[in-house]
């Protein structure tokens, strides 16, 4: 899967990023964050950090080179960030090397909700399993990618943060998605504090704002796929990495989605109806509709259960079946789920349905989209773009807002609301993940559905 992000938005905003850093790499991190486009503040005096954190758009806590005042500053800033919903990143440098570091890390993770915890294999292994080691460097030459995956998932379950394990492999996990970033070069290990740079980049991208997953993936892509281009004769230095960042306006690269098992193939047509005409649904699936959502707000549980069974029996294995706003029945019948802004929380649904199930969410703003992805949403539906008969009271969003939401997220974003075949040109040139339609698919006669859907898909593929 390819992803990209333009840095101009971040550079235009130049958000304040508070970094309580490793003194060994402090100046390097400041230079790198400036080259990326954010404004670094490297304050760590305990008497002033509360005020600075409160003004910041993101906070990085790096455990390198601890002293009594720095520990106090870390605790104060973490509390301020947690209370003010400021994105919070933790880099547990050398966590298992001393009881002081171990106790501080345990205290922080138990008290505060981190957006991201990023470390090398040894650091994450200690936080996940209590395995001790000495020093700050990771010896991971003999480890497999499965070893990285296992500890990422264990710490994610334990901390509820998005977890990044860096080193020989790069694995990223939230409560739903598990990602691997290919690339890398052994020569990059010759740079002192490369992990510190990655954590600082993640923190800066979160301030853009951006979802946890996308910020982590882009930081890894830059260092593993783009940054390695500065290696010459097996030599590299940190200033070359900083110069590389200064010279680009867009980060793009490849990632591999290891889970969930369901993958979205773009562009995908997503149909929604009350489930009253099974033949129309079957014909739409036959013509290529890839997702179907049953949205019936009036049926009781028995009636809805009967609809679910009838529809599933016809389309299972051919089309992703999603139930709207009923966690209880989604669990009972083993279906995917879609939740609106006022419906049951995504995090709760994720706990009930597990890591692998598809859970969609409605989000009309960047903030709500980021929150949904961070809680474990699989995709976002956003709109309405036009007046719609299905939801006459739906508020409208602009195409510009749609672009902002999509830029901030890693998961697919599907337009919805009043979209007809004649209005598809509105989305020309946007390289859509897919889109949602209701009446445009199901308002025609039963014998016309298949032809209608094929025409929609053909037009969608050529936008």
């Amino acid at each position: 899967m390819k992803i990209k992000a333009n840095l101009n938005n971040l550079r235009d905003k130049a958000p304040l990023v508070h970094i309580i850093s490793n003194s060994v790499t402090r100046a390097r991190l400041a230079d790198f964050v400036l080259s990326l486009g954010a404004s670094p503040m490297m304050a760590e005096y305990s008497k002033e950090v509360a005020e600075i954190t409160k003004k910041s758009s993101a906070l990085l806590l790096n455990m390198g080179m601890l002293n009594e005042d720095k520990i106090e500053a870390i605790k104060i800033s973490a509390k301020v960030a947690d209370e003010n919903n400021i994105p919070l990143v933790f880099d547990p440098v050398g966590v298992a090397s001393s009881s002081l570091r171990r106790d501080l890390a345990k205290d922080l993770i138990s008290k505060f909700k981190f957006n991201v915890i990023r470390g090398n294999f040894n650091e994450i292994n200690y936080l996940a399993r209590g395995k001790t080691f000495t020093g700050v460097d990771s010896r991971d030459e003999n480890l497999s990618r499965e070893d990285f995956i296992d500890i990422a998932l264990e710490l994610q379950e334990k901390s509820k943060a998005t977890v990044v394990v860096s080193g020989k492999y790069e694995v990223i996990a939230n409560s739903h998605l598990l990602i691997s970033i290919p690339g890398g070069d052994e020569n990059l290990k010759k740079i002192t504090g490369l992990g510190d740079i990655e954590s600082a980049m993640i923190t800066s991208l979160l301030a853009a704002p951006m979802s946890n997953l996308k910020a982590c993936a882009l930081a890894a892509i830059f260092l593993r796929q783009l940054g390695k281009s500065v290696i010459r004769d097996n030599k590299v230095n940190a200033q070359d990495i900083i110069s590389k960042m200064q010279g680009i306006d867009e980060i793009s690269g490849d990632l591999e989605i290891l889970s969930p098992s369901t993958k979205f193939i773009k562009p995908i047509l997503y149909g929604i109806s009350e489930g009253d005409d099974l033949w129309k649904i079957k014909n739409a699936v036959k013509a290529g509709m890839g997702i179907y959502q049953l949205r019936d707000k009036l049926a009781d549980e028995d009636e809805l259960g009967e609809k679910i069974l009838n529809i599933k029996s016809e389309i299972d294995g051919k089309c992703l079946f999603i139930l709207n706003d009923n966690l209880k029945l989604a669990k009972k019948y083993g279906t995917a789920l879609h939740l609106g802004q006022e419906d049951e929380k995504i995090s709760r649904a994720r706990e009930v349905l597990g890591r692998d199930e598809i859970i969609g969410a409605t989000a009309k703003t960047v903030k709500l989209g980021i929150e949904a992805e961070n809680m474990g949403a699989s995709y976002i539906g956003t709109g309405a773009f036009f007046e719609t008969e299905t939801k006459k009271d739906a508020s409208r969003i602009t195409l510009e807002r749609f672009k902002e939401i999509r830029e901030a997220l890693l998961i697919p974003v599907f337009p919805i609301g009043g979209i007809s075949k004649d209005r598809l040109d509105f989305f020309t040139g946007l390289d859509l993940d897919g889109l949602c339609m209701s009446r445009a698919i199901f308002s025609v006669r039963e014998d016309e559905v298949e032809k209608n859907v094929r025409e929609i898909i053909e037009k969608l593929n050529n936008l």
Side-chain angles (χ1 to χ4, degrees):
M1 173 182 171
K2 291 189 176 295
I3 67 166
K4 64 181 179 179
N6 192 294
L7 297 176
N8 290 331
N9 180 50
L10 177 68
R11 288 169 174 166
D12 288 343
K13 292 179 179 178
L16 183 66
V17 175
H18 186 188
I19 300 175
I20 298 180
S21 65
N22 186 340
S23 59
V24 174
T25 59
R26 184 183 295 124
R28 184 175 298 166
L29 295 190
D31 286 345
F32 182 82
V33 170
L34 280 170
S35 72
L36 180 58
S39 298
M41 186 68 175
M42 316 302 285
E44 55 185 58
Y45 181 41
S46 63
K47 302 296 185 189
E48 67 170 353
V49 291
E51 182 180 356
I52 292 167
T53 298
K54 195 167 184 178
K55 295 176 181 176
S56 301
S57 296
L59 170 66
L60 169 60
L61 303 177
N62 182 305
M63 287 210 315
M65 303 297 286
L66 293 175
N67 57 54
E68 189 173 342
D69 187 70
K70 183 175 178 179
I71 290 172
E72 182 64 18
I74 285 173
K75 292 179 178 179
I76 291 169
S77 285
K79 185 173 186 293
V80 171
D82 195 56
E83 291 173 346
N84 291 276
N85 295 315
I86 295 167
L88 182 54
V89 178
F90 183 37
D91 189 332
V93 176
V95 61
S97 296
S98 70
S99 59
L100 181 71
R101 291 172 185 271
R102 294 193 291 270
D103 291 344
L104 176 59
K106 288 176 184 176
D107 184 57
L108 292 172
I109 291 174
S110 68
K111 288 181 178 176
F112 306 113
K113 176 66 174 74
F114 286 93
N115 286 67
V116 176
I117 300 174
R118 192 221 64 84
N120 61 36
F121 183 90
N122 286 344
E123 290 160 349
I124 301 302
N125 197 25
Y126 173 75
L127 294 178
R129 299 172 175 171
K131 297 288 181 69
T132 59
F133 64 95
T134 302
V136 298
D137 296 321
S138 180
R139 298 289 182 260
D140 56 17
E141 295 86 355
N142 298 320
L143 298 171
S144 69
R145 190 170 72 169
E146 286 302 315
D147 294 321
F148 278 66
I149 289 170
D150 289 345
I151 62 165
L153 292 175
E154 287 181 37
L155 183 57
Q156 195 289 314
E157 178 64 28
K158 182 177 178 180
S159 68
K160 308 305 179 188
T162 297
V163 173
V164 183
V165 192
S166 302
K168 179 181 178 182
Y169 304 97
E170 186 92 9
V171 172
I172 305 167
N174 76 351
S175 61
H176 176 48
L177 282 157
L178 179 65
I179 295 167
S180 176
I181 309 296
D185 191 293
E186 285 295 309
N187 287 293
L188 291 171
K189 290 184 177 181
K190 297 174 184 177
I191 299 176
T192 299
L194 188 70
D196 294 358
I197 291 174
E198 184 173 4
S199 295
M201 184 170 178
I202 291 168
T203 309
S204 301
L205 291 172
L206 290 177
M210 192 176 286
S211 72
N212 298 343
L213 279 171
K214 189 164 188 178
C216 294
L218 288 170
I221 283 170
F222 174 75
L223 291 172
R224 298 181 74 84
Q225 296 174 20
L226 304 181
K228 69 179 183 179
S229 66
V230 303
I231 298 169
R232 297 287 185 274
D233 299 322
N234 295 322
K235 296 178 182 179
V236 64
N237 64 66
Q239 188 55 50
D240 291 336
I241 296 287
I242 294 168
S243 297
K244 175 72 175 179
M245 177 55 73
Q246 288 174 331
I248 63 174
D249 293 321
E250 183 180 270
I251 300 170
S252 62
D254 299 303
L255 60 82
E256 181 182 358
I257 297 178
L258 304 178
S259 67
S261 54
T262 299
K263 307 293 193 297
F264 295 104
I265 300 173
K266 61 189 287 187
I268 194 164
L269 181 61
Y270 184 149
I272 304 170
S273 79
E274 295 180 349
D276 293 322
D277 195 327
L278 186 57
W279 278 101
K280 285 187 177 183
I281 298 168
K282 287 172 62 177
N283 288 343
V285 172
K286 183 179 179 183
M289 181 178 71
I291 303 174
Y292 172 73
Q293 182 191 135
L294 171 58
R295 180 194 285 164
D296 188 340
K297 299 283 190 179
L298 301 178
D300 62 29
E301 284 194 4
D302 290 339
E303 292 171 326
L304 195 54
E306 186 175 350
K307 279 188 179 182
I308 292 168
L309 290 174
N310 288 337
I311 296 170
K312 279 192 72 176
S313 69
E314 295 293 343
I315 71 172
D316 228 12
K318 306 170 189 173
C319 173
L320 175 62
F321 178 82
I322 297 177
L323 180 62
N324 178 261
D325 185 26
N326 196 314
L327 176 57
K328 178 182 176 182
L329 293 188
K331 175 68 173 176
K332 180 178 179 179
Y333 292 103
T335 74
L337 179 68
H338 183 91
L339 296 172
Q341 288 182 179
E342 307 303 322
D343 297 337
E344 193 151 7
K345 280 217 168 184
I346 297 156
S347 53
R348 168 62 181 156
R350 182 58 64 203
E351 289 176 3
V352 172
L353 299 180
R355 287 190 57 88
D356 200 56
E357 190 59 85
I358 298 298
I359 301 174
T362 298
K364 296 175 181 288
T365 67
V366 171
K367 181 175 182 290
L368 290 172
I370 290 173
E371 287 176 358
E373 183 174 306
N374 288 351
M375 285 192 287
S378 311
Y379 70 85
I380 296 294
T382 189
F385 289 87
F386 307 97
E387 186 175 335
T388 169
E389 291 293 320
T390 308
K391 284 191 173 183
K392 294 185 178 181
D393 60 344
S395 60
R396 306 268 282 273
I397 73 165
T398 64
L399 201 56
E400 191 59 37
R401 172 70 59 79
F402 169 75
K403 292 176 184 176
E404 290 171 355
I405 294 171
R406 195 172 68 164
E407 182 73 13
L409 305 183
L410 182 67
I411 58 177
V413 181
F414 301 133
I416 185 172
I419 302 170
S420 64
K421 186 164 54 178
D422 295 335
R423 288 169 169 166
L424 286 177
D425 289 341
F426 181 74
F427 301 101
T428 297
L430 292 185
D431 189 27
L432 294 178
D433 298 308
L435 54 77
C436 305
M437 289 178 157
S438 180
R439 289 178 56 81
I441 295 174
F442 296 110
S443 63
V444 300
R445 292 199 320 262
E446 187 178 286
D447 60 348
E448 295 177 335
V449 169
E450 187 175 342
K451 177 176 179 291
N452 181 47
V453 168
R454 292 190 190 281
E455 289 174 353
I456 291 170
I457 291 174
E458 182 180 3
K459 195 163 186 180
L460 180 57
N461 285 328
N462 290 294
L463 287 179

